[in-house]
Every structure is written in structure tokens, then in C-alpha cells.
Amino acid sequence: MDLPKIFAAFKSASAGIVFFLGTALILTGCSQPSTLQEIRDEGVLHVITRTAPSIYVESEDGPTGYDYELAKLFAEDLGVKLRVRVADSNTEILSVLEKNYAHFGMLGLSRQPHTANQYRTVATGITAQSILVYNRDVERPESLQDLIGKTVHVVSDSNHEHRLNEARQENAELEWEVHPGLDAAGVLSRVESGEFPYAMVSSNELDLNHVFYPMVKEAFTVGEPGELAWFFPSAQDDSLAKAARQFLESLETNGTLAQISERFYGHLDRLNYVGARTFMHHVENRLPKYESLFRDYARDFNMDWRLLAAIGYQESHWRPNAVSPTGVRGLMMLTRNTASHIGINNRLDAEESIQGGAKYFRIVHEKIPERIPEPDRTWFALASYNVGFGHLEDARRLTEGAGRDPDRWMDVKEFLPLLAEKEWYTKTRFGYARGHEPVIYVQNIRRYYDVLARLNQPGIPATEAEEQIVQMEESRAPEVPSGELQTDGKLRAGLPAELGMIPPTL
């Protein structure tokens, strides 16, 4: 476009007319950059979210969360920085998106018909549905009809309001109360205390929080499952949403999406009520005696003290004089040979045991191939700590032989139980092993670690931490039909198909 010649042709016209026509020509002849191009030009992807274990949390190790990890990878793929703003609620997030003040929002919601014209959505790989929960001291409702005359409590701007409105067509007297100042954890804590006898929460948030609230029980689901999604302002063009959709589809194709899903949801389970009370009792009464030792020796051997403490709890429930029928003993339950190898003289001395456990874990961790990224490398190290490196390698060879990835814990944990079956262990180098045990072992330690990390999050009041209770799984191995992989492992969060073949203990 030769703008000088065009302006020269109109030099006899008034300055205002020339300016108007020139501007019009520029606007009609030169297209504006797309949203995606604007982001690349600025070098920043602006995202708004809220704090929730299922979306985004600040930890001692920095921000994390399922949606956050995906957004971080997306920003890296675009070659820009990720800038996250944390809102107080979904209401605030939606308000920001409505004004087009962020590129997209992470709300933990699925697409709803009443928002279809307001936002573009991109599914993130997790499906969830509304779950009616109740305090275990009240009568269990069997259906919404049983809640007539009672109040259901929900968070604001959630999928639950839409589903309750649909349900009201058949149950006109159904009542609920919306709590703008609460999140899912806040609602669950009030169900735990009995303040809210009944409430509705998303299944994925229940999965991630349920271990802290053993007085909360599940009654039934409401409505159909929906895919959780990122929300993009309608004021944008579709370039960013399209790029996000293509990126997440690529993560699903190469297995990264399934691996991130396993990291956040793959070790969750419905665990027993007694174990919950027992663990919290030990956190309050036993852990303080040894916490400084866990911190000191974890620092000496470059590991997270909460992970070291979680291993200690799984091994002995933090009992320094623990002794097993097989001869392992002490707080970290070291064998005589292991203790001798790492220079531990008295296995029943708590300090020596914790020092020995940290040193041995570091040795085991360093044997795991460096090419395996975290956190999988740590899960492999934990399995090796429990069952031995040789048996772990046998399971990894079986995994590779079946065409799966031997460097991914989510794949290898399916094959470890086969080491207890003759038709499989006779084909391995190191033979028989109780292969279920390391799978349960890793799962339990991951849950203990989760709880210790949550209880030590910056900004959580001590009184609130004391009320957070964890349920832990009883150490019993599931039965797996001979020659078959267990395939019914159901995760409430609705993980992708790649996670279908997970043993029911996971």
C-alpha cells in the first residue's frame, strides 16, 4: 500500500478528511494481529485461576497443580512466559474474562449450555461430575427426593448450580444455598464439622480433598459427567483457543497428558476411616519428636524431608523400636545387610536409622537412570527401596516387552504385580517378588507425602492444619487373576483411556 501517493491525491482536501480516509484505508487494508500473534509479540501468556489442588497451588517448591502444569507447558510451546494471576473465586475469574483482561481462565469447570455464547472452551483431559456428599452422622440420602425440606450447600459459579436447576424440574421443592466465599475445601470442612449436613462438590475436587475429611461420605452423583476445560473470552478471536486445543491433543497423543494426570490423580483412593485418625494422631504426637532429624538428614542427602518422613511412616509408623518377623528393624526398618553397607551400627537408634534411611534412599535414587524425569524417578526409587533394584528392572523389562514405556511409573506399576506369578517371574532374571507390595508402598508414601506437604503449606493456620485428617490404605495386596493384568482401576476424576489399566489399589 503506497500511502504517500494516496495522501498526495487528496492534498486539496481538509486535514480532517485526509486523516479520516487515511485511517480508514489503513484499517481496511491492513489486518490486525491475531490474539496468538499478540501474545507472541508481547512474550507473555496471561492466565487467571484460583487456588485449588486440582488447578493451582503454591507449595514450598513453587507453583504446581494439574492445570498449571499444562499451562506452563503450553507457554513453553508458544515460546512465551506464563504469568498467573490468582483470583478469590470463579466469580472473579469470569468477571476478568468477560472484560478480556486475561487470555484464558482455569476454573475447574466444564462447559455449560448457558455459557456457550460467552466463552470458548478447551477440554483439559479430566472429566468430573457433581457428587452429593453428607456428614456420616446424618442419614444417607438415596436421591434428591430425600433432600426435600433440607438444604444443599454449593460453591458459587460452579457446575452444581446448573445441575440443581435441571434437577428442580422434577423436584420443584429442592433447595440449595450458594456460598461465594467458600471453595470446595471450605465446603467439605463444614460438612466434616456437621455445619453443612449436605453439600455438592465436583468429583475431582472430592478425590483430591477427601483424605482430609473422613467424616464426609459420598451419597450419589447428580447429572452427567463433563470435561473440565479452560475458558477463553469471547472477545478474542479463536487463534489462541485453537492453538491450545491442538497443543493438548498433541500431549494426549504422545502420552504426556496421561502422565500428568497420573501424577495428580493416579495415587488417590478411598482409604479407611481408622487409618485417617491414626495417621493424624501420629502426626501430632510422634512426628514432632523426629521432625528435626528428618529435616537435618534430608538436607544432608539432598531430599525433601517430607518424603523422608513419609517413608519412615510407611516403614514403622515412626516407631524407633519397630521389628519385623523378617528381621528388619528400626524407624526406617533397615535390614542388617543394608545397615552394615551404609555404616549404621544401631538400627534401633532413631537418629542413626533416619540417617541410614536418607543415605540408602539417595544411593537407590542415583541408580535410577537420569534420563527418567521427576517425579517418576522418585517413584522408581521408592519401588526399588522396597522391592530391590533387580526386581524393579525385571518389571521394567516386562513393561518394555509389552510395548509400554519402561521409563514411566504409570506403565511399570502395572507389571510389577506380575512378578508374583510363575508364568511371568520364571522369565525374569531375579525371579519371584511380591510385586503388589511396591505398588502399594509407592502409593501410600505419595499420599503421606501429599498430606505432610499440605499441612506444611505456607499460610495454613495451625488450627486448620490440626483439623485436616488423612486416610491411608491398609497394607493388603489385591488379588489379580493369573496371567492377566487388572484393568478395572476406576478413578473418579475420569482419567484418559491410557490410564485404564491401573490396579485397583491405585
Side-chain angles (χ1 to χ4, degrees), residues 136-154:
R136 65 168 58 233
D137 289 337
V138 303
E139 184 177 356
R140 174 191 175 114
E142 299 297 330
S143 68
L144 290 174
Q145 184 66 33
D146 293 340
L147 295 172
I148 300 300
K150 302 178 176 64
T151 300
V152 178
H153 299 270
V154 299

Side-chain angles (χ1 to χ4, degrees), residues 6-260:
I6 294 176
F7 279 111
F10 290 90
K11 62 181 179 181
S12 60
S14 67
I17 296 175
V18 170
F19 176 80
F20 173 81
L21 292 176
T23 302
L25 286 169
I26 291 173
L27 291 177
T28 56
C30 304
S31 61
Q32 293 190 359
S34 66
T35 300
L36 185 59
Q37 187 59 51
E38 289 176 349
I39 291 170
R40 287 179 167 143
D41 291 343
E42 182 189 357
V44 179
L45 177 65
H46 295 275
V47 175
I48 185 165
T49 187
R50 60 183 172 87
T51 298
S54 58
I55 307 172
Y56 175 92
V57 291
E58 287 281 355
S59 69
E60 288 186 359
D61 301 318
T64 187
Y66 178 81
D67 285 87
Y68 172 79
E69 295 296 335
L70 294 182
K72 183 172 67 173
L73 290 176
F74 182 41
E76 291 174 0
D77 184 70
L78 295 178
V80 300
K81 295 180 180 178
L82 176 65
R83 188 164 297 165
V84 178
R85 172 183 169 186
V86 180
D88 290 332
S89 65
N90 279 347
T91 304
E92 182 179 344
I93 295 175
L94 292 173
S95 176
V96 169
L97 294 178
E98 186 178 353
K99 296 178 176 66
N100 197 23
Y101 288 166
H103 291 128
F104 68 86
M106 305 186 300
L107 302 87
L109 297 181
S110 58
R111 179 179 180 273
Q112 296 295 339
H114 66 280
T115 64
N117 295 327
Q118 297 173 273
Y119 309 99
R120 295 183 176 88
T121 57
V122 175
T124 59
I126 297 293
T127 59
Q129 62 187 131
S130 297
I131 304 288
L132 195 289
V133 296
Y134 65 101
N135 181 281
R136 65 168 58 233
D137 289 337
V138 303
E139 184 177 356
R140 174 191 175 114
E142 299 297 330
S143 68
L144 290 174
Q145 184 66 33
D146 293 340
L147 295 172
I148 300 300
K150 302 178 176 64
T151 300
V152 178
H153 299 270
V154 299
V155 298
S156 62
D157 284 308
S158 64
N159 294 322
H160 320 311
E161 292 180 77
H162 171 70
R163 287 164 181 160
L164 285 169
N165 273 313
E166 288 185 333
R168 186 176 263 174
Q169 297 176 11
E170 297 181 5
N171 300 276
E173 299 177 25
L174 191 64
E175 296 180 0
W176 61 88
E177 183 176 349
V178 178
H179 298 274
L182 298 180
D183 58 6
V187 169
L188 288 170
S189 70
R190 285 159 176 78
V191 177
E192 170 85 6
S193 69
E195 180 182 348
F196 295 171
Y198 308 97
M200 191 170 290
V201 296
S202 292
S203 55
N204 67 312
E205 294 195 310
L206 178 62
D207 283 337
L208 288 162
N209 287 284
H210 202 185
V211 294
F212 295 98
Y213 307 105
M215 291 295 291
V216 176
K217 297 196 71 175
E218 175 190 333
F220 51 83
T221 62
V222 178
E224 296 298 319
E227 287 188 300
L228 303 185
W230 289 343
F231 282 61
F232 297 76
S234 59
Q236 295 179 3
D237 59 36
D238 66 351
S239 60
L240 180 61
K242 183 178 179 180
R245 186 175 296 108
Q246 291 174 343
F247 174 73
L248 292 176
E249 287 173 354
S250 72
L251 292 190
E252 182 176 8
T253 300
N254 65 26
T256 301
L257 191 64
Q259 195 166 9
I260 294 175

